[in-house]
């Protein structure tokens, strides 16, 4: 079935019930359904055909949900773009996906205009009617609205989720309607059983994890309440929880939980309605998790997954958190157990299954796993060899099936819940005229989990500062990818084959720390 059916059912059952809240904007399920059909119909009127890609780069708002379900209705493939990306990075995703249309906020107009050649041939639409973009209102013309969603097979693509590899070039994980249904049902079955009318708050980017949790919210006819704060503000968040009687915060990165603990003032707000906070995307220290549970109660729900198997490989429910904490069980530091209809285990370098307690690469299979990467058969074959998704994460399962993550097979850095790929940063730094060589990796950071760090070899006779390197990176990529600090050396260690020994350099910064996925000597919990 077409995933639009989830909205169709909720509109029929909830009618005038609230679907979307953002600031003063209130949209009922009936109107949400009508607007999504209009968006889908007008995209078709603009020349889109089933299977065509439509990209969006938007700050959190109801427009995101209208575009997603509008694309579902028309049989189109939605391509969310991280709103924090540099325009050049945005352009790469638009070009690689072959998106015919880009829907973006007015705040990106200046950057797009400065890189206009990269967006040539792409029709641009903006809710702010910014610059040369056409107004979003053209997508709401009821004269072109669809009467009903198009038919869709389970294998039909509906989403491209861009996630980078060690080469630094983003890859589009293909999602089909079967995957979306599996994500929805698994979330409701294993993590948090959202109920009709429940208030679900979004305070993280809806182009990623939070937006995925919005899907089961729609399926159950609950309310997607979208924070209107431009940045993560604890007072604004908790005031919203009190005002709307929020029961479920859709997704928080561990850094947001740390910030929540730092800024929380007991008794200032009534947050007794809160029953679930979903977290993931990066590790969290066990001590921080224990402190959070002591402060806010047994409300935390952990998920572990990746764009290739969204939010559904393993998980730890609120009840499991409470049980493990009460027993002082070290499994509170795990990434939970394999989800109901997912298979997962660890394998050695030859893909042989490993027994409990023995570390190897985490692999998974099931309907939640992508069929492959968009227009990248080589990467697809490598990631899905043997019929199993190879996650690139190193860990082990204990005797009861709890997954403990130890390291990454790849060199990705997770900083504040954002994936940063060292090669991508290195390729920018090496462009600097004063740089001879460099290596980038994550180092332990008490707040960010990992901080992006660069070690640079200047060209002979050149003098360069850390600020110059950091500012140079900021001219070419998203701010969160920039190094937080830079060290300078005369040479980098290399292997007999001339390859930089990244881990040898990195390990100097990890001495005295137990993990390689977040830093710190404390045991950790969390996932990607």
């Amino acid at each position: 079935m077409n995933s639009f059916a989830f909205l169709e059912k909720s509109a029929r059952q909830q009618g005038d019930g609230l679907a979307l809240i953002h600031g003063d904007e209130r949209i009922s399920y009936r109107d949400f359904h009508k607007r999504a059909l209009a968006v889908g119909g007008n995209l078709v009127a603009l020349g889109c055909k089933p299977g065509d890609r439509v990209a969006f780069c938007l700050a959190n708002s109801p427009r995101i949900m209208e575009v997603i379900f509008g694309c579902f209705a028309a049989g189109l493939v939605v391509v969310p773009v991280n709103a924090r990306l540099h325009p050049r990075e945005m352009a790469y995703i638009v070009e690689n996906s072959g998106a015919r249309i880009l829907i973006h906020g007015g705040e990106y107009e200046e950057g797009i205009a400065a890189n206009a050649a990269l967006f040539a041939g792409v029709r641009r639409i903006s809710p702010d009617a910014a610059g040369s973009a056409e107004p979003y209102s053209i997508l709401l013309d009821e004269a072109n609205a669809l009467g009903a969603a198009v038919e869709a097979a389970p294998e039909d693509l509906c989403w491209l989720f861009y996630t980078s590899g060690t080469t630094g070039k983003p890859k589009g994980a293909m999602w089909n309607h079967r995957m979306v249904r599996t994500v929805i049902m698994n979330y409701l079955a294993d993590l948090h059983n959202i109920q009709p009318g429940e208030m679900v708050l979004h305070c993280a980017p809806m182009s990623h994890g939070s937006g995925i949790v919005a899907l089961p919210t729609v399926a159950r006819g609950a309310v997607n309440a979208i924070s209107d704060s431009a940045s993560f503000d604890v007072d604004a968040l908790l005031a919203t929880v009190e005002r709307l009687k929020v029961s479920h915060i859709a997704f928080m990165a561990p850094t947001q939980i740390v910030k929540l603990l730092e800024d929380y003032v007991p008794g200032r707000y009534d947050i007794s309605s809160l029953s679930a906070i979903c977290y993931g995307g990066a590790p969290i220290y066990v001590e921080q998790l224990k402190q959070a549970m002591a402060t806010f109660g047994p409300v935390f729900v952990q998920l572990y997954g990746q764009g290739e198997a969204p939010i559904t490989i393993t998980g730890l429910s609120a009840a499991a958190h409470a049980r493990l904490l009460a027993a002082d069980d070290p499994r509170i530091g795990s990434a939970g157990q394999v989800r109901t209809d997912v298979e997962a285990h660890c394998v050695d370098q030859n893909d042989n299954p490993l027994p409990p307690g023995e570390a190897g690469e985490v692999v998974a299979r099931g309907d939640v796993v992508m069929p492959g990467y968009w227009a990248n058969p080589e990467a697809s074959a490598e990631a899905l060899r043997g019929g199993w998704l190879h996650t690139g994460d190193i860990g082990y399962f204990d005797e009861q099936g709890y997954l403990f993550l130890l390291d990454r097979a790849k060199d990705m850095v997770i900083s504040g819940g954002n994936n940063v790929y060292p090669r991508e940063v290195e390729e920018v730094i090496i462009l600097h005229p004063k740089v001879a060589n460099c290596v980038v990796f994550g180092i332990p950071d008490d707040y960010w989990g990992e901080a992006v760090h660069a070690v640079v070899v200047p060209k002979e006779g050149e003098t360069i500062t850390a600020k110059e390197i950091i500012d140079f990176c900021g001219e070419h990529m998203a701010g969160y990818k920039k190094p937080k600090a830079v060290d300078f050396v005369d040479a980098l260690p290399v292997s007999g084959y001339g390859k930089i020994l990244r881990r040898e350099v990195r390990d100097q910064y990890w001495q005295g720390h137990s993990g390689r996925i977040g830093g710190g000597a404390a045991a950790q919990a969390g996932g990607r």
Side-chain angles (χ1 to χ4, degrees):
M1 75 180 190
N2 189 323
S3 299
F4 185 82
F6 290 108
L7 175 55
E8 183 83 39
K9 289 180 183 177
S10 290
R12 183 166 55 248
Q13 295 170 2
Q14 300 297 328
D16 292 327
L18 274 177
L20 304 168
I21 295 178
H22 181 239
D24 294 331
E25 188 174 11
R26 301 288 190 273
I27 299 176
S28 70
Y29 265 100
R30 181 174 288 108
D31 287 340
F32 178 18
H33 178 257
K34 182 186 298 184
R35 290 171 71 92
L37 286 173
V39 169
N42 282 287
L43 288 171
V44 171
L46 292 176
C48 293
K49 303 180 297 296
D52 283 349
R53 278 73 63 204
V54 174
F56 72 78
C57 188
L58 296 165
N60 283 2
S61 79
R63 308 296 79 78
I64 288 178
M65 299 304 296
E66 292 168 1
V67 170
I68 289 173
F69 279 90
C71 286
F72 287 171
L76 305 174
V77 181
V78 67
V79 185
V81 180
N82 186 338
R84 297 182 65 188
L85 291 184
H86 190 281
R88 295 179 186 178
E89 297 168 311
M90 186 193 310
Y92 175 83
I93 292 174
V94 171
E95 187 277 332
N96 182 261
S97 68
R100 301 187 57 182
I101 291 176
L102 170 63
I103 303 167
H104 65 85
E107 62 270 33
Y108 310 112
E109 178 63 29
E110 183 177 348
I112 291 173
N115 295 273
L118 301 179
F119 294 89
V122 178
R123 193 160 188 169
R124 295 190 294 109
I125 297 171
S126 173
D128 310 299
S132 59
E134 299 173 84
Y136 183 82
S137 58
I138 68 170
L139 297 181
L140 299 177
D141 184 352
E142 294 187 6
N144 294 320
L146 297 172
V150 302
E151 291 295 321
E155 299 79 16
D156 288 345
L157 297 185
C158 60
W159 196 303
L160 292 185
F161 186 99
Y162 271 80
T163 177
S164 294
T166 53
T167 63
K169 288 295 186 183
K171 300 189 295 290
M174 298 186 290
W175 298 3
N176 56 36
H177 287 282
R178 178 184 287 116
M179 280 182 68
V180 168
R181 293 204 303 271
T182 303
V183 167
I184 289 171
M185 299 309 295
N186 271 0
Y187 192 88
L188 297 173
D190 293 342
L191 291 180
H192 181 62
N193 188 11
I194 299 170
Q195 295 299 303
E198 185 171 348
M199 193 68 65
V200 180
L201 179 62
H202 298 273
C203 60
M206 295 182 72
S207 57
H208 287 65
S210 201
I212 299 170
V213 178
L215 302 178
T217 304
V218 171
R220 275 289 168 80
V223 185
N224 278 303
I226 304 167
S227 173
D228 58 354
S229 295
S231 58
F232 185 70
D233 181 284
V234 170
D235 273 335
L237 174 75
L238 298 180
T240 301
V241 171
E242 179 182 68
R243 184 177 73 258
L244 299 179
K245 300 191 185 307
V246 170
S247 60
H248 181 29
I249 296 178
F251 188 87
M252 293 182 76
T255 50
Q256 291 179 308
I257 295 175
V258 172
K259 180 69 171 173
L260 186 63
L261 284 168
E262 289 175 348
D263 293 357
Y264 177 66
V265 178
R268 178 176 291 178
Y269 301 101
D270 179 3
I271 57 172
S272 59
S273 61
L274 200 56
S275 62
I277 297 175
C278 175
Y279 72 93
I284 184 172
Y285 295 124
V286 167
E287 290 308 311
Q288 291 172 338
L289 177 59
K290 288 180 177 179
Q291 184 183 352
M293 292 180 68
T295 302
F296 301 104
V299 299
F300 291 92
V301 178
Q302 184 192 175
L303 56 86
Y304 162 68
Q306 53 186 202
E308 294 84 347
I311 69 173
T312 51
I313 296 177
T314 65
L316 202 64
S317 68
H321 274 82
R323 183 179 69 252
L324 295 172
L325 183 65
D328 197 24
D329 192 318
R331 292 181 179 90
I332 192 72
S334 75
Q337 294 175 302
V338 179
R339 308 283 282 279
T340 299
D341 63 347
V342 177
E343 293 179 84
H345 59 260
C346 292
V347 298
D348 64 17
Q349 60 185 355
N350 297 313
D351 284 347
N352 298 310
L354 294 170
E358 194 166 333
E361 184 175 8
V362 180
V363 298
R365 70 180 179 187
D367 284 346
V368 71
V369 172
M370 68 170 186
Y373 293 112
W374 176 258
N376 198 335
E378 295 82 8
S380 299
E382 174 63 19
L384 298 171
R385 62 186 185 275
W388 292 83
L389 171 66
H390 288 66
T391 65
D393 291 324
I394 301 299
Y396 68 89
F397 285 92
D398 71 6
E399 294 286 352
Q400 293 187 17
Y402 286 86
L403 173 62
F404 289 80
L405 294 170
L406 303 174
D407 203 340
R408 297 188 195 92
K410 302 174 184 177
D411 295 316
M412 181 179 70
V413 180
I414 297 182
S415 183
N418 292 298
N419 294 351
V420 182
Y421 299 89
R423 178 67 178 273
E424 186 178 13
V425 184
E426 290 163 5
E427 288 182 348
V428 169
I429 294 175
I430 208 69
L431 293 174
H432 195 287
K434 295 182 180 180
V435 171
N437 212 338
C438 68
V439 64
V440 172
F441 44 86
I443 64 172
D445 186 276
D446 287 339
Y447 182 75
W448 296 107
E450 286 182 305
V452 181
H453 192 85
V455 176
V456 171
V457 179
K459 288 182 178 178
E460 187 173 353
E462 295 286 0
T463 300
I464 187 170
T465 67
K467 185 177 186 301
E468 285 180 76
I469 295 291
I470 295 168
D471 289 348
F472 184 76
C473 289
E475 295 172 3
H476 293 80
M477 54 177 41
Y480 69 83
K481 298 181 181 181
K482 298 187 301 184
K484 295 286 192 297
V486 182
D487 287 333
F488 295 91
V489 296
D490 293 329
L492 293 169
V494 297
S495 70
Y497 297 99
K499 183 178 180 180
I500 294 174
L501 298 174
R502 182 191 306 274
R503 182 155 298 184
E504 183 175 312
V505 180
R506 187 182 72 172
D507 284 353
Q508 300 173 37
Y509 295 84
W510 287 87
Q511 291 178 9
H513 297 270
S514 65
R516 287 292 187 274
I517 53 168
Q524 302 163 344
R528 195 161 94 197

